[in-house]
Amino acid sequence: MFGKELMEEICERNNLKAALKRVRRNKGSPGVDGMTVDELPDYLKVHWLVIKARLLKGCYHPQPVKRVEIPKPGSTEKRKLGIPCVLDRFIQQAVLQVLQRKWDPTFSDNSYGFRPGRSAHQAIARAQSHIKAGYGYVVDIDLEKFFDQVNHDRLMSRLAMRIADKRVLKLIRAYLRAGILENGLVSVPSEGTPQGGPLSPFLSNVVLDELDKELESRGHRHVRYADDCNIYVSSLRAGERVMRGISRYITQRLKLRVNEGKSAVDIPQNRTFLGYTFTGGKSPNRRKIAPKSIKRFKAQVRRLTRRNWSINLADRIDRLSRYLTGWRGYYGYCETLSVLLKLDSWIRRRLRCVVWKQWKVYRKRKRELIKLGISGKLAHTTAWSAKGPWCLSHSPGVHMALNKEYFAALGLPRLAPC
């Protein structure tokens, strides 16, 4: 049980300084009051003593959150976010830092999402270790609209088991019940933890830690990252039995819903976990980028390398490089080098098409090819060809002129290790 002076700990100077630094680093759009993160420090200099007094008295009331919808990757559905104002993000961050420091050590070792020192890559590696240990079937459980379905009373009862300070409980309840501004109207939610605030991921772990502990008590090997939960079993029959039992527990005990259309018992090679899947065949159980992840990647690269976009090559490669660097940082963890090599080759071929179209006419094409070391005869044959850019991008003349080194000199990163 945490002490009754928890709010004083939240309002401690060093904790607040760390919270402000984190909120400014995360940036983010303004909430309903229009205040930006850069304006927050000056606002706190004037108003913080009054706000602190309200927090210590337990009478602080957060502002409504702004509803924003963003596309879900690989889906036509929209993900609903609730964007708190920057002041409430700052206060939530201060609360989070104290609660997470005290609570996180008690969370399950099988939970990896939104926890300090833990990552999606570690979750994937744990899943891989279960598969290699001979657990060849996965119970893939998808929670339907989890963040919108969290039961407030159950969550608050879980928090009250550890938190003795009534002011902190009241503040968290106020954030759960903060109005949602959408289409000019404010509605008050009766359930759910709005995605978008710093505290929401921690609260989701508090709710689902109960599921983790239940799975451990039943002796199951599982990995959970936020609301993505995979349980590894040794047979299809065992998986179907586990699916029935855990679905019943989630529905009746946790008061959440299982999305039966997206949940399944299958071999891991047929399922996706955090954007990855696993290989089968002669080299089984290696980390592999899921087909849907590659499809989304190619769609974004096509957008950045479209030929009808009037932008110079240096700016195009700069934008493309930022995307590739971030993508490689996550998906470079795969163990299938051939996939990355093929993607590198495909990206360069698309860029060759862009360059070829920008050269436009025969004389410029021939001149540029010769500049890049192509013989006059081959430059003439290539530049005079009536074939389209995609076909010519793989021809000897263009391929040798616009090679790996050419694009590397322009700053294009490679996905595959050099």
Side-chain angles (χ1 to χ4, degrees):
M1 177 71 76
F2 308 148
K4 293 186 178 180
E5 305 298 318
L6 195 61
M7 186 62 81
E8 280 74 12
E9 195 173 340
I10 290 168
C11 294
E12 191 268 328
R13 182 176 177 81
N14 288 334
N15 185 55
L16 295 173
K17 286 173 66 177
L20 179 59
K21 184 178 180 181
R22 184 63 180 266
V23 168
R24 295 190 71 184
R25 186 169 69 242
N26 290 344
K27 296 184 179 180
S29 60
V32 295
D33 60 357
M35 186 191 302
T36 65
V37 290
D38 293 328
E39 296 169 337
L40 180 59
D42 291 335
Y43 180 86
L44 291 175
K45 287 177 184 176
V46 177
H47 300 283
W48 174 245
L49 290 179
V50 175
I51 297 167
K52 180 180 177 180
R54 290 176 182 167
L55 289 168
L56 294 175
K57 287 180 181 177
C59 61
Y60 177 82
H61 297 288
Q63 296 186 59
V65 300
K66 182 170 68 174
R67 174 70 81 201
V68 176
E69 293 187 349
I70 62 171
K72 280 188 178 181
S75 172
T76 57
E77 298 178 16
K78 298 280 188 178
R79 176 175 283 119
K80 294 184 176 181
L81 302 183
I83 308 300
C85 65
V86 291
L87 174 61
D88 285 320
R89 294 211 292 272
F90 165 67
I91 296 171
Q92 283 193 39
Q93 182 64 36
V95 174
L96 170 66
Q97 289 169 179
V98 172
L99 292 185
Q100 191 158 52
R101 185 170 63 246
K102 294 175 177 291
W103 211 305
D104 191 78
T106 68
F107 282 145
S108 167
D109 190 48
N110 297 300
S111 165
Y112 290 88
F114 310 119
R115 296 182 61 189
R118 290 178 167 244
S119 67
H121 287 170
Q122 292 174 338
I124 295 161
R126 174 65 72 90
Q128 186 180 23
S129 70
H130 291 321
I131 298 167
K132 286 184 175 180
Y135 297 91
Y137 284 85
V138 60
V139 181
D140 187 352
I141 296 177
D142 184 90
L143 299 178
E144 185 175 345
K145 297 182 179 178
F146 167 72
F147 286 92
D148 298 331
Q149 302 295 333
V150 172
N151 184 283
H152 288 178
D153 292 333
R154 278 195 56 80
L155 172 57
M156 292 308 302
S157 68
R158 294 282 294 178
L159 293 171
M161 292 170 66
R162 301 269 192 95
I163 300 173
D165 194 329
K166 303 292 186 185
R167 296 167 299 177
V168 176
L169 291 172
K170 185 178 178 181
L171 179 63
I172 294 173
R173 172 75 81 168
Y175 278 121
L176 291 174
R177 298 276 295 164
I180 299 173
L181 179 64
E182 188 174 17
N183 299 324
L185 299 175
V186 176
S187 59
V188 178
S190 59
E191 59 183 7
T193 60
Q195 296 182 73
L199 203 52
S200 181
F202 169 77
L203 296 178
S204 72
N205 274 336
V206 171
V207 172
L208 292 176
D209 187 58
E210 193 172 349
L211 173 61
D212 293 332
K213 299 294 170 50
E214 178 66 20
L215 290 170
E216 289 167 4
S217 70
R218 298 186 186 192
H220 295 314
R221 290 162 177 81
H222 81 285
V223 182
R224 183 178 65 80
Y225 190 96
D227 56 339
D228 288 333
C229 184
N230 280 2
I231 307 166
Y232 295 89
V233 296
S234 55
S235 69
L236 178 62
R237 185 176 179 182
E240 291 171 343
R241 184 177 66 249
V242 169
M243 175 67 86
R244 287 193 299 270
I246 295 302
S247 296
R248 188 163 53 246
Y249 175 85
I250 290 170
T251 304
Q252 296 178 1
R253 184 70 181 270
L254 301 184
K255 308 301 181 185
L256 299 170
R257 291 202 296 266
V258 175
N259 188 330
E260 296 182 1
K262 294 183 178 179
S263 301
V265 180
D266 207 338
I267 58 174
Q269 292 78 9
N270 292 341
R271 305 298 295 177
T272 298
F273 182 53
L274 302 178
Y276 280 82
T277 185
F278 298 94
T279 60
K282 295 180 180 179
S283 302
N285 305 331
R286 293 191 298 159
R287 297 184 298 270
K288 172 184 168 185
I289 304 170
K292 285 185 179 179
S293 301
I294 292 178
K295 184 178 179 181
R296 288 196 298 270
F297 170 78
K298 285 191 168 184
Q300 180 67 359
V301 171
R302 284 191 182 99
R303 189 184 70 81
L304 293 170
T305 57
R306 61 189 187 274
R307 281 171 253 163
N308 61 352
W309 188 16
S310 299
I311 182 175
N312 66 57
L313 186 62
D315 287 343
R316 186 191 296 267
I317 287 183
D318 179 61
R319 298 186 191 197
L320 181 60
S321 297
R322 289 200 295 269
Y323 175 69
L324 295 180
T325 301
W327 192 88
R328 182 182 61 188
Y330 185 74
Y331 287 103
Y333 189 58
C334 76
E335 296 176 311
T336 49
L337 181 63
S338 61
V339 174
L340 298 180
L341 290 170
K342 286 178 182 177
L343 290 174
D344 273 332
S345 176
W346 175 76
I347 292 166
R348 288 193 296 270
R349 189 170 181 184
R350 288 195 61 84
L351 286 173
R352 289 187 196 108
C353 292
V354 170
V355 174
W356 191 251
K357 185 175 181 183
Q358 287 180 349
W359 286 348
K360 291 184 178 179
V361 295
Y362 163 77
R363 276 189 293 182
K364 183 170 184 179
R365 287 171 174 174
K366 181 179 178 181
R367 185 172 65 248
E368 294 295 337
L369 288 173
I370 292 173
K371 275 186 192 178
L372 292 168
I374 304 303
S375 68
K377 184 177 180 180
L378 181 57
H380 164 74
T381 304
T382 306
W384 192 253
S385 175
K387 294 178 181 177
W390 182 251
C391 184
L392 280 171
S393 65
H394 207 54
S395 66
V398 177
H399 194 275
M400 287 189 293
L402 305 177
N403 53 23
K404 295 178 185 178
E405 290 73 23
Y406 175 86
F407 290 114
L410 291 173
L412 181 72
R414 298 185 191 179
L415 300 178
C418 297

